[in-house]
Amino acid sequence: MAVPYRLKKAFLNLLLTISACYFYTVRFVFWFVNYFFRERVYVTPPTDRLLLISATQAVRMISKKEISSTALVESYIHRIEQVNNTINAVVVKLFDRARQQATEVDTFMALADEEDIQKKIEEKPLYGVPFTMKDALEVENEIVTCGVFNRKSTKCERTAEAIKRLQAAGGILLAITNVPEVCMWVESVNTIYGRSKNPYDARRMTGGSSGGEGALLGAAGSVVGVGSDIGGSIRMPSFFNGVFGLKPTPGVIPLIGHVPEPTGYKTHMLRIGPMCRFAEDLPLMLRIMAGENAKSLNLHEPVNGKKLRIFYMEGITGSPIIQPLEEDMRYALKKAVNFLERKYDVVAQQIELPSARHVMEYFTLSMHEDTTDPAFNKLMLCTNGTKGEVNCYTELFKYFTGNSNHTLSGIIAGIIDSRDPPFSKSHTKDLLYKRDRLKRQVKELLGNDGILLFPSWPCTAMFHNEPILAPFNFCYTALWNVLSVPVVQCPLGLDSHGLPLGVQVIGNQYTDRNLIAIAQVLEEGFNGWTPAGPL
């Protein structure tokens, strides 16, 4: 006998109410404990003017001999030393090599004439500018751990293609930043380097897995950086730390040298992309890392905002496992929508994607689809899965006795994950149909001239360890990895607690220039990156 529709709806509403009460209780308990028993610590704003210019401006000023590469590098080294004790973002310092490379840039600039300088800047559009990267991209002869304890002494034999391109463009790699274990959690914490902390409130999370990178950028310890994103790992840290982050169109930036390298449908989900404090640096970084593939993005073509169709969506509804959208996040979304409506004299259209509530199932299925990756408990020992596996039940006991080399989030992931199919054949077939139908729906909705504004997360940055009790909030970003579309995360100022607000802007594949244009417009309207300060 079929269950009546009204009864099913009433049960779902009851479940959603219970779920909302749970999430609000968790939020209150963590707020109460931290507000009354721990003092807010934040990174003070920079005073060095060299820390307040974009990479694009820095290249221009170096080419005109208005600043030296050495001065720029030294400013960022000093800033890192100043803030890293607070945020624990930098895990590998490459300062000596960076100083040497900056000296080489300055020597050339001192001897070259104007024509030679112009030619050099055309060949090397990041000439003399320092950049940083997350601890999941290989760099020859450097230790890159991906947060895996057993890699703490392992040096790489090659450099990731995206990093090679930045270095070939004249960029100077200054530091490597912290990530969670195996880069698979929303907090950047591991047993090698510890926990990264938010520059706006050190009691709170930086996001993951590019959390160290986000924190360093938000603290003005870097001007541009490189992250990667399979479920929101660029956009979550960019949001929580108040900077810009771009997950570009699939296939544009090569994944060679990412740790671990993906297989199967994961290759459509995982993206390497830029993170930066200034929106004008997004196209610069994207062009360099994309190489010849940048031509397919037509980044030099102007975008007529008045001809864009603007849609917005108030988060994921109808799922009891995802926290309801908080009012500050809803307000930020509507402010961005209203600003664009006035800016371009258009009317934005609110939409609903009901099947998006199944995003966690889509994500789980997609992470397993056609993959040959080892199980998570094997990756916890070695990122190519060739050195055995971790007994996560034993590690759970060792964790609570203080003797484990693994994090609680990693151990739980190792217990949950396996290489067995996550669903029955019939349910898998049904989910694949729904996922691909949703992909077509979004593609047809947006076309080549549509953008969709979507909340960055259900709430602002949580307190440390709080995400363990709300583990599925990352679905707000993971949805767009599942659908394989480009997304840019944009800062929208600070809330009453001094925490960054933001919005995601989504487009179809190969419409990255529309997203970058909107990011630049939102930067004009909301002042972009805003340093932390007193309440």
Side-chain angles (χ1 to χ4, degrees), residues 364-365 367-369 371 373-375 416-424 428:
T364 303
L365 176 68
M367 290 288 283
H368 285 77
E369 187 180 353
T371 186
D373 292 354
I416 294 172
D417 180 59
S418 71
R419 289 300 92 188
D420 297 327
F423 306 108
S424 66
T428 295

Side-chain angles (χ1 to χ4, degrees), residues 9 23 46 49 56 110 139 148 175 188 225 230 291 301 308 352 363 366 394 410 463 478 482 507 515:
K9 187 174 181 180
F23 285 117
R49 68 180 184 89
T56 304
V139 178
V148 175
S188 289
I230 197 170
E301 289 186 15
L308 290 177
E352 292 288 343
F363 182 80
S366 299
T394 301
F463 291 104
V482 167
L515 307 185

Side-chain angles (χ1 to χ4, degrees), residues 4 61 90 104 130 208 236 254 304 333 354 376 435 442 482 484 529:
M61 294 174 76
V90 171
E104 292 171 1
M236 285 187 287
N304 186 345
L333 170 70
F376 192 89
R435 182 198 70 184
V442 170
V482 167
S484 302
W529 167 72

Side-chain angles (χ1 to χ4, degrees), residues 46-58:
T47 55
D48 187 339
R49 68 180 184 89
L50 292 183
L51 301 178
L52 299 174
I53 60 175
S54 68
T56 304
Q57 289 174 302

Side-chain angles (χ1 to χ4, degrees), residues 11 45 53 66 105 135 169 260 422 450 534:
F11 178 75
I53 60 175
E66 294 174 358
V105 170
D135 186 22

Side-chain angles (χ1 to χ4, degrees), residues 164-207:
K164 282 180 14 183
R165 291 179 180 183
L166 289 169
Q167 291 174 322
I172 297 173
L173 181 58
L174 188 61
I176 299 173
T177 53
N178 204 23
V179 298
E181 186 172 13
V182 198
C183 285
M184 285 298 287
W185 184 233
V186 297
E187 278 217 71
S188 289
V189 55
N190 57 65
T191 56
I192 308 169
Y193 303 119
R195 186 186 303 274
S196 292
K197 300 173 183 178
N198 193 303
Y200 293 84
D201 184 345
R203 299 171 296 182
R204 297 180 184 262
M205 62 193 284
T206 64

Side-chain angles (χ1 to χ4, degrees), residues 12-61:
L12 177 60
N13 288 337
L14 175 63
L15 196 61
L16 291 173
T17 301
I18 295 171
S19 169
C21 290
Y22 164 79
F23 285 117
Y24 290 139
T25 301
V26 168
R27 294 287 281 161
F28 175 78
V29 169
F30 273 85
W31 172 84
F32 182 86
V33 170
N34 283 276
Y35 184 81
F36 286 103
F37 298 101
R38 300 177 65 198
E39 185 179 355
R40 175 180 179 248
V41 176
Y42 63 90
V43 170
T44 55
T47 55
D48 187 339
R49 68 180 184 89
L50 292 183
L51 301 178
L52 299 174
I53 60 175
S54 68
T56 304
Q57 289 174 302
V59 172
R60 192 181 306 124
M61 294 174 76

Side-chain angles (χ1 to χ4, degrees), residues 88-342:
N88 190 34
V90 171
V91 296
V92 178
K93 298 174 180 178
L94 304 173
F95 296 166
D96 290 341
R97 185 193 303 172
R99 287 183 169 117
Q100 180 182 347
Q101 292 173 342
T103 300
E104 292 171 1
V105 170
D106 294 339
T107 300
F108 171 83
M109 293 299 299
L111 300 174
D113 59 26
E114 189 173 332
E115 185 178 341
D116 288 338
I117 291 173
Q118 183 63 33
K119 184 178 179 182
K120 178 68 76 172
I121 298 301
E122 289 175 0
E123 293 174 351
K124 297 179 178 291
L126 202 60
Y127 194 52
V129 175
F131 73 96
T132 50
M133 52 161 263
K134 73 184 290 186
D135 186 22
L137 296 162
E138 292 183 297
V139 178
E140 188 175 3
N141 293 324
E142 297 298 336
I143 294 173
V144 173
T145 70
C146 191
V148 175
F149 185 83
N150 280 15
R151 283 183 62 103
K152 65 179 181 177
S153 302
T154 304
K155 291 191 174 183
C156 300
E157 298 179 354
R158 62 175 180 173
T159 298
E161 184 62 29
I163 303 304
K164 282 180 14 183
R165 291 179 180 183
L166 289 169
Q167 291 174 322
I172 297 173
L173 181 58
L174 188 61
I176 299 173
T177 53
N178 204 23
V179 298
E181 186 172 13
V182 198
C183 285
M184 285 298 287
W185 184 233
V186 297
E187 278 217 71
S188 289
V189 55
N190 57 65
T191 56
I192 308 169
Y193 303 119
R195 186 186 303 274
S196 292
K197 300 173 183 178
N198 193 303
Y200 293 84
D201 184 345
R203 299 171 296 182
R204 297 180 184 262
M205 62 193 284
T206 64
S209 59
S210 310
E213 194 63 33
L216 188 64
L217 286 160
S222 180
V223 62
V224 287
V226 185
S228 60
D229 189 317
I230 197 170
S233 297
I234 286 174
R235 290 159 292 144
M236 285 187 287
S238 295
F239 166 53
F240 297 136
N241 298 282
V243 298
F244 293 91
L246 175 67
K247 179 181 85 74
T249 290
V252 170
I253 297 176
L255 300 175
I256 299 167
H258 189 278
V259 182
E261 284 194 25
T263 61
Y265 192 81
K266 286 182 183 179
T267 58
H268 298 277
M269 299 170 66
L270 177 65
R271 302 269 61 81
I272 293 171
M275 300 169 67
C276 51
R277 281 185 285 138
F278 304 98
E280 71 172 332
D281 291 334
L282 289 172
L284 171 67
M285 294 287 285
L286 182 56
R287 275 196 297 270
I288 293 170
M289 289 193 285
E292 288 296 313
N293 291 336
K295 293 177 182 177
S296 64
L297 301 178
N298 301 313
L299 294 175
H300 292 290
E301 289 186 15
V303 175
N304 186 345
K306 292 182 182 257
K307 292 186 177 180
L308 290 177
R309 295 176 300 118
I310 300 174
F311 304 92
Y312 70 98
M313 184 173 162
E314 294 188 7
I316 299 171
T317 58
S319 174
I321 66 171
I322 303 172
Q323 179 182 337
L325 186 67
E326 292 192 351
E327 281 307 309
D328 278 351
M329 298 302 299
R330 193 185 313 276
Y331 178 64
L333 170 70
K334 290 184 175 179
K335 276 204 310 182
V337 171
N338 292 339
F339 173 77
L340 293 176
E341 286 183 323
R342 293 193 304 271

